[in-house]
């Protein structure tokens, strides 16, 4: 039995044992860009397989089906309930199992907005320390998510039109999707985003602007170093590592990272291995092919709190067209989708119906892109950066 909270754009957030926090501040699990939403507006908790909504003393109140929730008394939620916070609405969905869940109407798929988050009052070193402190709490439930949520996500990731086989095995890609934090020199600002494990030695692929300033073409810090958090697996708990940028291609909007040390700077053990994501091919995709995008949404926030990139969320949709990149002479230069991606999904990983990685969201917009949805770089674009040893 799995509960989901679905935002107005169709983006899904699983509710696991730690629960979900809702609000305007960037350290929430579900961040709402709504001036009428309090910074820490409400929370959702699971108690004995039942879902409860708590108002956290919000200024404008929390409503379920237009009934206000008392601060003193939580509200029991049912599947189909509509939660309203300010001008934002969220829908509650419960999935008992893939075998018994009923077909649902197709939903719009999208993602939250924003990306680079300032963290006030901290040095770069403190940012790293704070991120490590938040990691233990932030992803403690990720192993549970992988076991309890993957199959329901597969069942629920439907698109319009619905392809004949839209049940993608998301587990391998989810376990190979990492969160990246790049301190910006000695300022109290950091860039956050999603990255993909592409080699068992700790090599990752991410968007160029997660680790490089697209305006200057320079890394965000002099050492080109970042902090990478790998999710928990059956064999290893989640933890942070130090990594450096080993290749960056501004034209392709991509960068390659290499993990080189543990979070405290000590050498990696000889046994260090990570499982890479299965890679597919974008060139063979046809229009209307089902696509899913998984990412760690990040938001702009002035708060010195490292609870960022906590929740791995899923957006679903389908391919509209394959666009060329004339500047690079590539026929397969962009994947145009109906998934309205935003900068908060920077580095998000696109999967085909078999759960294979076919693209990456880089935040770049080609001039020929349509207004609908967002565009992704096909995974083939990364081949020159991943070739050879670093």
């Amino acid at each position: 039995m799995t509960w989901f909270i679905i935002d107005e754009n169709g983006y899904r957030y699983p509710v696991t044992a730690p629960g979900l926090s809702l609000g305007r501040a960037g350290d929430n699990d579900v961040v709402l860009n709504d001036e009428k939403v309090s910074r820490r507006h409400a929370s959702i908790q699971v108690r004995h397989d039942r879902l409860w909504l708590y108002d956290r003393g919000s200024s404008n109140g929390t409503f379920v089906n237009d009934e206000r929730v008392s601060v003193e008394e939580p509200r029991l939620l049912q599947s189909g309930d509509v939660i309203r916070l300010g001008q934002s609405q969220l829908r509650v969905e419960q999935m008992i199992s893939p075998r018994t869940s009923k077909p649902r109407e197709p939903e719009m798929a999208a993602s939250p907005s924003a990306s680079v988050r300032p963290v006030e009052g901290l040095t770069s070193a403190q940012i790293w320390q704070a991120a490590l402190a938040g990691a233990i709490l932030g992803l403690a439930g990720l192993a549970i998510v992988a076991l309890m949520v993957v199959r329901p996500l597969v069942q629920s990731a439907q698109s319009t039109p619905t392809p004949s086989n839209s049940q993608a095995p998301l587990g391998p890609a989810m376990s190979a999707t990492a969160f990246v934090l790049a301190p910006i020199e000695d300022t109290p600002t950091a860039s956050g985003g999603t990255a993909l494990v592409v080699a068992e030695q700790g090599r990752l692929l991410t968007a160029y602007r997660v680790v490089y300033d697209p305006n200057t073409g320079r890394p965000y810090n002099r050492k080109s170093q970042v902090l990478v958090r790998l999710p928990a697996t059956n064999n290893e708990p989640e933890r942070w590592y130090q990594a450096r940028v080993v290749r960056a291609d501004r034209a392709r909007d991509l960068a390659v990272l290499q993990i080189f040390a543990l979070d405290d700077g000590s050498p990696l053990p000889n046994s260090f291995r990570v499982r890479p994501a299965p890679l597919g091919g974008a060139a063979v995709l046809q229009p209307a092919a089902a696509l899913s995008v998984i990412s760690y949404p990040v938001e702009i926030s002035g708060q010195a709190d490292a609870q960022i990139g906590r929740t791995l969320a899923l957006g679903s949709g389908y391919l509209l067209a394959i666009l060329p990149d004339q500047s690079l002479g590539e026929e397969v230069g962009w994947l145009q989708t109906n998934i309205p991606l935003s900068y908060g999904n920077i580095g998000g990983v696109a999967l085909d119906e078999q759960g294979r990685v076919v693209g990456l969201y880089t935040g770049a917009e080609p001039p020929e892109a349509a207004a609908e949805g967002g565009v992704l770089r096909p995974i083939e674009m990364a081949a020159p950066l991943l070739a050879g040893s670093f």
Side-chain angles (χ1 to χ4, degrees), residues 21-41:
S21 58
L22 316 173
R24 184 163 44 87
D27 60 332
N28 288 287
D29 297 304
V30 180
V31 181
L32 301 170
N33 290 323
D34 186 335
E35 292 182 354
K36 294 187 177 181
V37 171
S38 299
R39 292 181 61 80
R40 288 166 183 77
H41 196 110

Side-chain angles (χ1 to χ4, degrees), residues 106-292:
E107 298 169 316
M108 290 167 44
S111 68
S113 60
S115 71
V116 177
R117 92 183 244 115
V119 186
E120 293 180 352
L122 292 181
T123 64
S124 295
Q126 289 173 318
I127 291 173
W128 287 49
Q129 295 171 358
L132 290 172
I136 296 176
L137 295 176
L139 285 183
L142 190 57
I144 298 175
V145 173
L147 294 176
M148 297 178 61
V149 176
V150 169
R151 294 190 65 186
L153 284 178
V154 169
Q155 180 71 18
S156 61
Q158 299 181 5
S159 59
T160 306
T162 303
S164 59
N165 178 20
S166 61
Q167 297 189 0
L170 304 179
M174 289 176 68
S175 63
T177 303
F179 179 69
V180 176
L181 185 66
I184 302 178
E185 291 301 352
D186 297 323
T187 71
T189 306
S191 172
T194 303
L196 176 73
V197 177
V198 293
E200 65 177 7
Q201 295 82 10
R203 195 167 301 159
L204 300 99
L205 180 70
T206 190
Y208 178 88
R209 60 195 67 200
V210 170
V211 293
Y212 267 58
D213 186 335
N215 297 316
T216 65
R218 297 178 180 177
Y220 286 124
N221 57 76
R222 290 181 293 273
K223 294 183 179 180
S224 295
Q225 291 187 6
V226 298
L227 195 63
V228 172
R229 183 180 60 209
L230 296 179
T233 64
N234 292 335
N235 299 322
E236 297 290 339
E238 58 84 18
R239 71 167 301 166
W240 289 88
Y241 296 88
Q242 292 188 29
R244 61 170 57 93
V245 182
V246 292
R247 284 189 181 177
D249 191 323
R250 192 174 185 177
R252 286 179 166 79
D253 312 304
L254 298 170
V256 177
L257 313 177
Q258 178 66 52
I259 294 175
F260 68 91
L262 300 177
D263 53 280
D264 59 2
S266 57
L268 295 172
N270 292 333
S271 60
F272 174 76
R273 292 291 186 276
V274 287
R275 180 170 295 182
L279 301 183
V284 298
L285 295 176
Q286 298 295 321
L291 293 177
S292 301

